[in-house]
Each structure stands twice: as structure tokens, then as C-alpha cells.
Amino acid sequence: MELSDLHIFRTVAREGGVTRAAEKLNRVQSNVTTRVRQLEEKLGVDLFLRQGRGLILSPAGKTLLAYADRMLDLAAEARNAVTDRAPRGLLRIGSMESAAAIRLPTALSEFNRRFPDVTVELRTGNTLQLGNALLSGEIDAAFAGEPLPDGPFNTLTAYIEDLVIVTAKTVPLDGPPGSPSRVMLAFEHGCPHRMRLEDWFESRGIMAERIVEMGSWHAILGCAAVGMGVALLPRIVVETIPDRAALQIHDLPPNKNRARTLLAWRKGITSPNVEALVSLYEGGTAPTLKPSARPGLQSRAGEDTTSRL
């Protein structure tokens, strides 16, 4: 059965005859009659009971009409979904844990205000996991740190983060072997902050004796505060801990103290929902928690550094 056959059949059923249906469809009566008879022949049943010049639905016709309504309505819904560029439906976003907790709540609140017909689904992961999820189509867009895995991605800068080294006030950075200063507190492999912390240890000619892997920045900050080791995190994350007095913040060199969080999505995919999310960040319009988080902000060597490592 073709949708056009069902459309003609449904119109005849609703109009109660071929004459009115032909006028409604802007077709000649003979064409409508022929199409109905061809459909009956394909199905091997009579769809109408002919009473004089009028037609009433047969039991088989009543059954088919219910299906025709559902099929034609579903086809119209699919056609509208493809051709209507208004954002609606599900938007699957992936994000690094720190960005999801600190940066995105304000931005997603504004997104929901602008695009109320979109349902946002958020999952967290490291940059490697997010890149793979984008490639496999598990998510539509991702907020990921650099370096992003190679792939057919479009990107723009969503946030610029000020990075710092964090220890407890009781932990000196130049401690001897076996001390907490030789312990890395970090996320699992694939996290860009972990890679930067590894580079920082190497630049100081120090070999990390142990790496304690954790799943959240809350845990990393808590362990740093009690003197378990050394962490590298965005400054805005450190500022969220209530007991900052227990922490010592060490600024990184000017060429190492900035990191971009990218908004990434697949090239060639022009989903209205993804376009709506991108529009929130284009031109520096995304709502933020502090001025330093404006998209497109350029870092300047020597800015906001007081003690160098």
C-alpha cells in the first residue's frame, strides 16, 4: 500500500462518497474510483458497501481506516520533523565533570528558557570518552577539553579556564621522596587536566611515585585538602570548596595556566537542537558565572599570576 492510496481511501471514507472526495482531492471522479478499486484488489476485500450513489465503510474498511489514520498522521509527523527547523525533542550532551558541575547549569538554564521544546540529556566523561561518544552517535554535542581526539568535528571555544596547582597548606611542593608532594590526585586516563599535571611533574624533573585516580573533582579537592597529594584543576572549581583555608593554590607559568573547553559536534550534522546550542555560545552570548568565562576570551601571558612555579 502506498500512502497516496491510503489518503484517497480515507478522504472517500470521510466524505461519504466519490464525488465529494474528488472535489476535496482535486481529482476527476473516475481516477478516485479506480484508485479505490485497485486498493481493494490489492487487499482482496471490499472496503465499501455501495448503497445507490453513496458509500459506507465495510467492516474491513473500518479496520483499515483506523490504520490509515495512524499511518498518515505518523507520516505527517515525520515530514514535519525533517522539514521543520524549530528546535524540539531530545538533545544529548556530554561534558567533562567539572564543566557539567560548574559551567553548564547556568547555560543550560538559559537554553531551556530559549528553547522550551528541547529536552536535554546530560552525561559526563573524560575528553577521550566524549570524543568516542560523538563519533559513535551516542551524543549530539560535547563540552570537552583539549586535545580533542582526531575526528570529523566542528568546534568553538565555550570557556577559557584558569588552571592552578592545588595542595594542602601542610604539603610543600618540593617535598622529599615518599612525601605527598610526589602523589598525583587525578581523574582517569583521557582527562586533559591529568595530562597537564603529568607534564608539570616532568617539567620540574620530579617523578610521581603514585597516582590516585578519582571520579569527581569533589573527591580530588577533598583529598588535596587533607594532604594526600597534588592536583591540577580549574581555579573556578577550587573556589567552590567551602574550606578553602585548608588549601594552598599555586599559579602555573603564563604559557601553562590556560585551557580551553571546546563545544564540539559532528561535521555535516545540522540538527536544529545542536544549532540552538551552538547559538548560545556564538558571539560570546552564553551566560556565565564570572567574566573570565566568556567564550572567545583570549589569555594573555602574565595575566592573573602572582606566584610562579
Side-chain angles (χ1 to χ4, degrees), residues 194-268:
R194 172 175 174 152
M195 291 186 285
R196 291 185 178 93
L197 183 56
E198 292 171 342
D199 291 342
W200 178 81
F201 268 91
E202 183 178 349
S203 70
R204 293 168 59 83
I206 298 175
M207 177 68 69
E209 298 173 358
R210 189 157 56 96
I211 300 176
V212 180
E213 293 187 352
M214 301 181 187
S216 76
W217 57 265
H218 293 92
I220 291 176
L221 277 174
C223 290
V226 297
M228 280 186 59
V230 180
L232 184 151
L233 291 167
R235 186 185 296 272
I236 193 172
V237 168
V238 180
E239 292 173 350
T240 64
I241 189 171
D243 188 18
R244 290 194 295 276
L247 294 173
Q248 185 172 1
I249 299 175
H250 311 270
D251 289 329
L252 288 162
N255 61 337
K256 301 290 186 180
N257 67 342
R258 294 290 188 273
R260 293 196 303 165
T261 297
L262 303 175
L263 171 55
W265 66 100
R266 284 285 298 270
K267 286 184 178 179

Side-chain angles (χ1 to χ4, degrees), residues 4 7 16 20 72 86-87 94-95 120 211 233 245 254 269-270 286:
S4 58
H7 179 54
R20 288 185 178 179
L72 291 171
S95 173
V120 175
I211 300 176
L233 291 167
I269 296 180
T270 56

